Amino acid sequence: MATIKFCLRLSQKGRDFPGSLIIRVVHQRKSGSVTTPYKLLSGEWDEKNEKVIINTDDAGRVKELVEISESIQNDKSFMENGIRKLNKTGNFDCKDILDYYRKKNKSKMLYEYTMKLNKYLISAGKERTARAYRSAANALIHFNEGENIYIENISGNMLKKFEEKMKFSGKSLNTISFYMRNIRSIYNKAIKENIINHPYENPFAEVYTGVHITKKRALPRQDIVKLKDLENKLWDYSSDDGIKLRKGLRDSLALFLFSFHSRGMSFVDMAYLRKSNIRDGILIYYRKKTGHMIEMKLNESMKEIIKYFSSETRDSIYVFPIIDPSKGNERMQYESGLRLQNQRLRTLSKIAGIDGSVTTHVARHSWATIAKQENLPLWIISEGLGHSNEKTTYIYLKSFDRSVLDKANDKICSAIRKTI
C-alpha cells in the first residue's frame, strides 16, 4: 500500500528563511518526492503531526498559514483519491502517484505558465517578448537539471546559483540580466494573476537585472568616407556569388548610409518605415524603441537612396524592401533582415579596409560622434537621435569624450617632460 507524508525541506540559507514543503511517497519499497508550492519557516511546521503551526501575530501571515494548512489537507485528500484510482488500474509505481499530483498543479509550473503567456503574447503580436520568455524559462529549467519548477519555488538562492553558473560559462552581464528580467516578469505576472502568493522576500533582489553599459563603437569620418566610396566599386567586386552578392552588398551599403544620413535611424525603424511617413519632403515617424516622434527634412543623399530602392518597393507600403507584407510574419522578416544586414556589413568593412566590426548600430553612434566633433551642443545631438534625455546621449559619446581627454592629458604630460 502506498503511503504519503508531508515533510519540510529547510532552506539552504538557514532556519530563518522559508523552506519548501515536499510530499514523500513510498510504494513497493521505492520512494520518491515532489515539491509543493508551499513555503514555511522551521517553526511553522509540526513534522510529527504534519500540521502547520501558527505562532505569529502578523495578521497577513496568519491568513497565509491558514490557506496553506487548508491546501495541504486538500492535497492530501487529492493524493489519497489518486492512489485509490491507480489501485483500480492494477500495476503502478511511485512516479505514477507523483505525476498524478503534478497534473493538479500544472498551472503553477514555470513551463506551463510560460506557454500560457506565450499564446497570449503571440496573439497580441508580441512575438519577440514571447520568445524572450520561452528562452529565459527554458534556461532556468535547464539549469535545474531539466526539471520543471513551481513558480513559487523560484528563490533568491536558486537565482543566485543560476547567475553564478552563467558567469562561469562566460555569459555577459547583459545576457544574465536578459534572463533574470524575463524570469522576473513571468514571476510578477503569476503574482498578479494570483497563481502564486506574494513572497516574503524579493527573490531577484541579489541578482543582476540592470543594463551594463558596453563600449559604444563609432566609425571615424574617414571610415564613413571609405564606405561611401564603395558605392561604385561594388559593381567590380568579384565573388563566387557573382552579381547577386554584389547587388546584396550594394543594398546593405545603401541602407547603412541611409541610417547615417537620417541622424542614425535604427534598422527596425527603417524596416517598418512606410511611404506614408514621407510628406512634402518631410520624414515623420515614431521610434519603435521609445515612441519618440522624429521629424526631419529629406536630404539629397536620403532621396537618392529611396529612389535606388523604388523599383523593388513599387507595390509595397514600405520604403525599403526589408519586409514584404504578402509573406506574413513581419517581425520574423525584420529579424532575418537584420541578421543579413549585419553579415553583409562585416563583408563591406573588410572590402573597405576598416578594422573591427561594422554593425547597423554603428551608423547611429558614428553620426552622434561626428556631430560632437563638429561641436554641436549635446541637447541638439540628443534631439537628433530621438533620445528622451541627454543622459542617454552622453552614454553614446562617453568613450569619445574620454579619448579626447586622454590625448589632452598625454599632450600636457609631454609638455611637462620637455621642461625636466
Side-chain angles (χ1 to χ4, degrees):
M1 178 65 181
T3 61
I4 59 173
K5 182 178 176 61
F6 285 79
C7 308
L8 183 64
R9 181 188 291 147
L10 297 178
S11 170
Q12 293 181 3
K13 286 186 175 182
R15 299 179 70 86
D16 294 332
F17 294 87
S20 299
L21 199 67
I22 66 169
I23 300 174
R24 182 168 290 123
V25 176
V26 179
H27 180 57
Q28 295 177 342
R29 297 183 180 181
K30 292 185 179 180
S31 65
S33 63
V34 61
T35 305
T36 74
Y38 317 125
K39 295 281 191 177
L40 295 168
L41 294 168
S42 59
E44 295 174 336
W45 181 247
D46 180 347
E47 192 77 31
K48 182 179 179 181
N49 297 306
E50 298 180 48
K51 289 184 178 180
V52 173
I53 300 172
I54 301 175
N55 57 2
T56 177
D57 296 327
D58 184 338
R61 184 54 180 166
V62 169
K63 182 182 177 182
E64 289 176 0
L65 291 173
V66 169
E67 289 175 351
I68 290 174
S69 181
E70 292 174 352
S71 295
I72 290 170
Q73 293 306 313
N74 290 335
D75 284 356
K76 192 168 187 178
S77 297
F78 180 81
M79 293 285 283
E80 289 170 347
N81 185 52
I83 291 170
R84 284 193 293 271
K85 287 182 178 180
L86 289 168
N87 270 322
K88 292 178 181 179
T89 65
N91 191 32
F92 64 97
D93 57 22
C94 270
K95 185 178 181 299
D96 295 321
I97 301 171
L98 297 174
D99 285 345
Y100 184 80
Y101 177 79
R102 290 188 182 102
K103 288 176 182 177
K104 175 179 182 286
N105 292 280
K106 268 195 170 183
S107 64
K108 297 182 179 183
M109 303 298 285
L110 178 60
Y111 180 80
E112 283 75 16
Y113 183 65
T114 302
M115 291 303 103
K116 174 188 168 185
L117 290 177
N118 264 245
K119 287 181 181 178
Y120 166 75
L121 289 167
I122 290 172
S123 67
K126 298 180 179 180
E127 294 179 13
R128 188 176 184 182
T129 304
R131 285 200 301 277
Y133 281 7
R134 287 199 306 272
S135 178
N138 288 336
L140 185 59
I141 290 170
H142 178 73
F143 165 75
N144 195 45
E145 298 181 348
E147 288 289 326
N148 205 351
I149 306 166
Y150 278 107
I151 301 171
E152 207 157 22
N153 288 341
I154 296 175
S155 65
N157 188 47
M158 174 189 287
L159 293 173
K160 196 65 184 172
K161 288 183 177 179
F162 181 41
E163 180 182 63
E164 289 169 1
K165 179 72 179 295
M166 286 192 286
K167 285 180 178 178
F168 183 77
S169 65
K171 295 285 192 299
S172 69
L173 282 176
N174 283 338
T175 299
I176 292 170
S177 179
F178 167 82
Y179 286 124
M180 294 300 181
R181 283 184 287 110
N182 281 291
I183 294 168
R184 182 178 62 186
S185 183
I186 295 168
Y187 187 88
N188 288 337
K189 281 179 169 57
I191 293 174
K192 191 174 181 180
E193 292 184 24
N194 294 317
I195 299 294
I196 61 172
N197 295 319
H198 204 284
Y200 267 141
E201 57 182 17
N202 176 11
F204 298 89
E206 296 183 15
V207 294
Y208 187 72
T209 56
V211 178
H212 180 64
I213 299 171
T214 55
K215 184 177 180 182
K216 308 298 182 180
R217 185 172 187 273
L219 292 178
R221 66 182 72 203
Q222 59 266 29
D223 282 348
I224 295 290
V225 172
K226 285 181 181 178
L227 286 172
K228 182 78 170 65
D229 288 344
L230 287 180
E231 283 183 302
N232 295 321
K233 295 177 183 178
L234 280 178
W235 294 114
D236 300 323
Y237 176 64
S238 59
S239 71
D240 294 338
D241 292 320
I243 293 174
K244 184 178 179 181
L245 176 57
R246 295 199 293 271
K247 173 66 166 62
L249 289 173
R250 202 165 194 269
D251 289 353
S252 290
L253 177 61
L255 291 171
F256 179 85
L257 292 174
F258 185 90
S259 174
F260 179 80
H261 288 301
S262 60
R263 305 197 312 234
M265 184 185 294
S266 65
F267 190 79
V268 66
D269 292 326
M270 289 172 57
Y272 286 94
L273 190 66
R274 293 171 177 251
K275 293 173 181 176
S276 58
N277 290 124
I278 301 173
R279 294 181 182 178
D280 300 324
I282 304 297
L283 173 59
I284 302 174
Y285 71 98
Y286 290 90
R287 286 196 69 202
K288 288 277 186 183
K289 185 174 182 180
T290 64
H292 192 97
M293 189 185 82
I294 304 289
E295 182 176 346
M296 73 180 78
K297 177 184 176 182
L298 283 179
N299 57 43
E300 290 305 312
S301 295
M302 293 164 68
K303 289 178 182 177
E304 288 176 9
I305 294 169
I306 291 173
K307 184 179 179 180
Y308 168 77
F309 288 109
S310 60
S311 61
E312 297 175 60
T313 60
R314 185 178 296 110
D315 300 319
S316 175
I317 60 173
Y318 294 118
V319 174
F320 300 113
I322 301 169
I323 295 173
D324 183 347
S326 67
K327 294 181 179 179
N329 204 326
E330 296 190 358
R331 184 74 201 185
M332 292 293 286
Q333 288 188 63
Y334 151 68
E335 291 180 2
S336 176
L338 176 62
R339 286 192 295 271
L340 181 60
Q341 176 71 358
N342 282 322
Q343 288 170 8
R344 288 173 173 172
L345 285 177
R346 284 193 288 272
T347 302
L348 287 167
S349 63
K350 290 178 183 178
I351 298 170
I354 296 172
D355 293 330
S357 177
V358 178
T359 66
T360 55
H361 218 53
V362 166
R364 187 168 176 79
H365 289 291
S366 300
W367 184 88
T369 301
I370 294 173
K372 177 67 174 176
Q373 290 170 342
E374 293 297 316
N375 295 317
L376 289 179
L378 188 62
W379 71 268
I380 290 181
I381 301 173
S382 182
E383 185 68 23
L385 292 168
H387 286 161
S388 55
N389 57 62
E390 293 182 12
K391 183 179 179 181
T392 306
T393 311
Y394 178 71
I395 292 171
Y396 269 62
L397 301 170
K398 190 174 181 180
S399 59
F400 164 74
D401 288 341
R402 188 182 64 246
S403 67
V404 171
L405 292 173
D406 287 344
K407 289 178 182 178
N409 187 49
D410 289 342
K411 189 175 182 180
I412 291 168
C413 291
S414 178
I416 293 295
R417 284 195 296 272
K418 287 178 183 178
T419 62
I420 296 175

